[in-house]
Amino acid sequence: MQKLKGPGGAITILAIESSCDETSCAICRDGVILSNIIAGQAVHEQYGGVVPELASRAHMQNIVPVVDAALKKAGCDQSALTAIAFTQSPGLIGSLLVGAQFAKSLALALDIPLLAVHHMQAHVLANLIPTDRPAFPFLCLTVSGGHTQIVLCQSPLQMEVIGETLDDAAGEAFDKSAKLLGLPYPGGPLIDKYAREGNPDRYSFPEPQIPGLNFSFSGLKTAILYFLQEQTGKNPDFIQKNLPDICASIQGRIISILLNKLKKAAKETGVRDLCIAGGVSANSGLRNTFRQLGQQQGWQTFIPPFEYCTDNAAMIAITGYYKYLAGQTAVLSVSATARAEW
Ligand code: KG4
Ligand code: ZN
């Protein structure tokens, strides 16, 4: 029979995240993160994007040292673990399978429960890691490389997507714009860096008129492409000479698209506790503008610390913790899936 609690009644979760190009392992005890180790994969830079086959190979190389390092940093022995959580979906299937197989094997070897976690739900719950937490119900703008969603969260495991992108994600809008500017992958953090020195009002890009709470970024990408073609046609050094202003103007438009919809969602739902999450929530312009907007609107605003914004296992651990408390354990035959509804 599986034991249901660790020594002293503590609930200690080991969590694994491997949905894309970060191999991560975290240890969480009674909802408090003790360690969160993240190994990135520089191998993709030269290809201008994540190469799925190379990502799964790198996960296989990284996973054992990353898990060992997380246990060591937490001062935790495998025998103290209560359950193993892992990212089940969505993501690159080869990458997910490495984490899933490792998690299943460890749960089987230690004879403890397995917890299957949805990656996007975990991004939202990264907001429950710090001690200063939003009250339920709250709204979360989740912005990553693959998703852009507004989520209405009623309790840790009760969430509803009330708005999402119809085409590109906000992270893709950053990364594809960066590519057009000749910047390396992933370009989001570089646009953020150059934008700090630039004037966001110098160039004007259109805001799409999408009904309801949904988003669209494909028109913005096309507008940027035509704008750059026209300007470099006139002056081949245009990008080099105006990079900070171009980056600030692109970033400013992406932020206004995101926050105008969030404002609309807050108005429609009447919810006053608002969060942001996902890789793009590491963007300094979005963080500052979100806080300023919150002050203007009388919202309580919450932003996870940087290490919990981009992909990390701490958010998988906290979600696993709530799933464990709710008795939502997974069977060992559970499989990873590239796409999954909530
Ligand atoms: O959540 P995440 O780490 O992975 C996915 O689940 O997709 O998000 C990655 C995305 C990438 O598109 C990356 O360019 C973007 O987050 N990103 C940023 C910044 N840091 C990461 N975008 C803009 N500014 C940043 N500082
Ligand atoms: Zn993510």
Side-chain angles (χ1 to χ4, degrees):
M1 210 182 82
Q2 285 177 343
K3 66 179 168 352
L4 283 178
K5 279 200 172 182
I11 298 169
T12 308
I13 312 264
L14 181 148
I16 291 166
E17 152 64 28
S18 69
S19 64
C20 191
D21 59 343
E22 258 107 18
T23 319
S24 180
C25 178
I27 310 291
C28 150
R29 180 163 299 145
D30 293 333
V32 176
I33 300 300
L34 302 182
S35 64
N36 179 43
I37 305 292
I38 305 170
Q41 302 179 356
V43 64
H44 307 289
E45 263 168 39
Q46 58 186 303
Y47 299 101
V50 177
V51 183
E53 175 61 24
L54 296 180
S56 21
R57 285 190 216 175
H59 283 304
M60 287 203 280
Q61 283 167 348
N62 291 343
I63 197 148
V64 172
V66 165
V67 169
D68 284 348
L71 283 164
K72 193 169 170 204
K73 187 161 181 213
C76 179
D77 188 80
Q78 281 186 11
S79 61
L81 297 175
T82 315
I84 309 293
F86 73 101
T87 306
Q88 182 193 10
S89 63
L92 300 171
I93 191 63
S95 293
L96 287 166
L97 283 171
V98 177
Q101 289 311 119
F102 190 92
K104 287 200 238 181
S105 311
L106 196 56
L108 185 65
L110 297 174
D111 194 22
I112 56 176
L114 184 68
L115 302 156
V117 171
H118 192 292
H119 182 87
M120 297 313 295
Q121 198 168 14
H123 269 304
V124 174
L125 295 189
N127 281 287
L128 300 188
I129 296 175
T131 43
D132 181 26
R133 294 172 189 159
F136 295 101
F138 65 79
L139 284 175
C140 184
L141 171 72
T142 317
V143 272
S144 71
H147 294 80
T148 298
Q149 299 177 327
I150 299 178
V151 178
L152 175 61
C153 197
Q154 304 283 3
S155 73
L157 301 177
Q158 246 188 311
M159 296 184 197
E160 185 193 350
V161 178
I162 58 171
E164 61 191 328
T165 184
L166 303 175
D167 40 58
D168 288 352
E172 274 176 292
F174 271 104
D175 296 340
K176 287 179 180 175
S177 304
K179 202 168 184 176
L180 294 173
L181 294 170
L183 299 173
Y185 177 87
L190 289 169
I191 293 205
D192 188 357
K193 184 179 135 202
Y194 290 114
R196 277 176 221 164
E197 316 290 320
N199 172 8
D201 299 323
R202 172 94 183 270
Y203 306 109
S204 173
F205 298 108
E207 178 155 0
Q209 300 304 313
I210 306 295
L213 298 175
N214 290 332
F215 304 89
S216 167
F217 289 101
S218 62
L220 176 63
K221 184 185 61 191
T222 311
I224 294 168
L225 173 69
Y226 289 156
F227 168 77
L228 292 176
Q229 278 174 348
E230 194 193 328
Q231 296 298 327
T232 51
K234 288 190 247 168
N235 172 9
D237 294 335
F238 174 76
I239 294 177
Q240 208 186 337
K241 293 233 163 81
N242 300 288
L243 191 57
D245 288 347
I246 304 171
C247 288
S249 302
I250 293 172
Q251 179 171 298
R253 177 51 79 213
I254 296 174
I255 293 171
S256 74
I257 294 173
L258 293 170
L259 293 184
N260 283 342
K261 287 291 169 137
L262 190 61
K263 206 158 99 181
K264 191 169 166 118
K267 204 170 165 201
E268 285 181 10
T269 58
V271 171
R272 314 302 297 162
D273 280 35
L274 279 87
C275 308
I276 54 176
V280 179
S281 66
N283 182 270
S284 58
L286 178 61
R287 295 166 88 91
N288 293 336
T289 320
F290 173 62
R291 279 198 200 96
Q292 284 162 10
L293 182 66
Q295 275 173 0
Q296 274 170 24
Q297 301 287 320
W299 300 338
Q300 300 269 24
T301 52
F302 301 86
I303 308 177
F306 276 108
E307 67 170 316
Y308 306 137
C309 286
T310 46
D311 287 348
N312 67 88
M315 66 183 194
I316 307 302
I318 199 83
T319 311
Y321 172 67
Y322 285 106
K323 288 199 125 187
Y324 183 84
L325 291 180
Q328 293 183 15
T329 56
V331 289
L332 275 177
S333 57
V334 68
S335 63
T337 50
R339 286 174 183 275
E341 296 304 318
W342 292 49

